[in-house]
């Protein structure tokens, strides 16, 4: 599950777009394009400005209550685009064994499902 970032398209929306048969070949082509995006940003130099939209977040203020001086506290929470999380999971899935080998005993949860 996941809330939508700046586009407000949440995880269920992406699942529908990518898996619904009513979109025909368009869903398949979109999956291929996302895979190509993941491959490109993982293997080629990319300008940071080219990634701005992918890395954008929607900020949500959470009330922290008042501190001892009576000041109102706010905790900003950034909600990133679901597409960024999809791409991240694709890359991790491909590199999983390399990450486990590299992290070794330093990262005790490497390779464990959350």
């Amino acid at each position: 599950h996941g809330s939508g970032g700046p586009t407000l398209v949440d995880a269920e929306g992406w699942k529908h777009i990518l898996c619904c048969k009513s979109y025909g070949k368009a869903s398949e082509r979109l999956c291929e394009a996302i895979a190509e995006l993941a491959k490109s940003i993982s293997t080629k130099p990319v300008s940071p400005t080219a990634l701005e939209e992918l890395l954008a977040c929607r900020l949500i203020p959470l009330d922290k209550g008042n501190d001892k001086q009576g000041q109102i506290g706010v905790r900003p929470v950034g909600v990133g685009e679901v597409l960024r999380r999809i791409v991240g999971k694709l890359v991790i899935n491909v590199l999983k064994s390399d990450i486990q080998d590299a992290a070794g005993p330093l990262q005790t949860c490497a390779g464990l499902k959350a």
Side-chain angles (χ1 to χ4, degrees):
H1 307 286
S3 181
T7 62
L8 301 178
V9 180
D10 65 4
E12 285 299 314
W14 273 99
K15 182 178 177 181
H16 178 75
I17 292 167
L18 295 171
C19 300
C20 185
K21 297 198 185 301
S22 64
Y23 293 111
K25 293 286 185 184
S27 289
E28 187 177 323
R29 288 192 304 272
L30 180 58
C31 288
E32 291 167 0
I34 292 170
E36 187 59 38
L37 170 67
K39 182 179 174 183
S40 292
I41 65 175
S42 298
T43 60
K44 300 174 186 172
V46 180
S47 166
T49 57
L51 296 174
E52 286 178 357
E53 286 79 11
L54 183 66
L55 302 177
C57 288
R58 178 170 54 103
L59 292 176
I60 299 175
L62 295 181
D63 182 9
K64 288 176 51 176
N66 296 344
D67 64 11
K68 293 178 184 175
Q69 290 80 29
Q71 300 285 356
I72 297 172
V74 175
R75 178 177 311 254
V77 175
V79 180
E81 284 295 338
V82 174
L83 178 59
R84 181 187 66 181
R85 297 194 295 264
I86 292 169
V87 169
K89 288 181 181 189
L90 286 169
V91 172
I92 293 295
N93 193 36
V94 170
L95 298 176
K96 184 176 181 177
S97 62
D98 293 333
I99 293 169
Q100 289 172 326
D101 292 343
L106 297 175
Q107 178 59 296
T108 58
C109 292
L112 297 179
K113 190 167 182 145

